[in-house]
Amino acid sequence: MKFKLNGNTVDADKAAADTPLLYVLRNDMQLNGPKYGCGLGQCGACAVLIDGKVARSCSIPLSVVDGKEVTTLEGLSPEATRQAQAELAQDPLFQGLRDNALQAGAAPAAQPVHLHPVQQAFIDTQAAQCGYCVNGMVMALVALFDKRPQASDEEIKKQLAYHLCRCGTHLEILDAARGVHSAVAVVQGACAMHGEAACSKELV
């Protein structure tokens, strides 16, 4: 069984077809962005994008993504992920991790890396407390802004309605979502002035 994962084709034939996608992502692919929260598809912590649509990976069997494209939190800003993995590889506390937990040959980036605007907005507004729900919140907003770059407050609230935050940082999360609007405008302006090369793929 093959599917695209963060832009790369992967083979998951060793896993049973009815294995929850979340288990394959975390245990086999060593991608820890999506979290196990409720296991029932109700809290949103496990959210990923499947062909651009937000989905609860804990309740979706692997067979569903055969031939599809899956994007996890790590795939939103691959350069930042590679840099973090490279730094992690130098930490003696994590030397025992499996070899495939880190991308082969990964090294710190030679120049500053950039996060996806939604991720950056969460940092700028300090929208995370424990951070467990953030994966789902970010992925849901990425899916929304991909389709509706200038989504209204009501659209944002509707998109996040079934993503649970037990720490109660809902106001900060909404501030982060509103902050993406200005970033989207900058990206769209760059596209108009300088062409596709200046565009952020995540928002265009």
Side-chain angles (χ1 to χ4, degrees), residues 130-155:
C130 80
Y132 208 82
C133 74
V134 169
N135 170 79
M137 301 284 188
V138 168
M139 300 308 288
L141 289 173
V142 168
L144 173 63
F145 288 124
D146 276 349
K147 291 186 176 181
R148 297 276 300 155
Q150 296 297 330
S152 67
D153 267 18
E154 287 306 310
E155 289 173 308

Side-chain angles (χ1 to χ4, degrees), residues 20-68:
L21 176 60
L22 177 64
Y23 296 2
V24 174
L25 295 175
R26 290 184 61 86
N27 299 337
D28 298 338
M29 306 300 176
Q30 298 295 307
L31 296 172
N32 295 320
K35 302 292 189 288
Y36 183 96
C38 63
L40 300 171
Q42 295 180 353
C43 73
C46 67
V48 299
L49 301 182
I50 300 177
D51 287 346
K53 297 180 180 180
V54 68
R56 311 294 173 97
S57 63
C58 75
S59 57
I60 293 177
L62 179 62
S63 59
V64 169
V65 300
D66 189 25
K68 296 184 183 296

Side-chain angles (χ1 to χ4, degrees), residues 107-131:
Q111 54 186 342
V113 295
H114 301 283
L115 294 172
H116 186 285
V118 174
Q119 293 174 298
Q120 189 61 55
F122 269 69
I123 292 172
D124 293 343
T125 58
Q126 298 184 25
Q129 189 162 325
C130 80

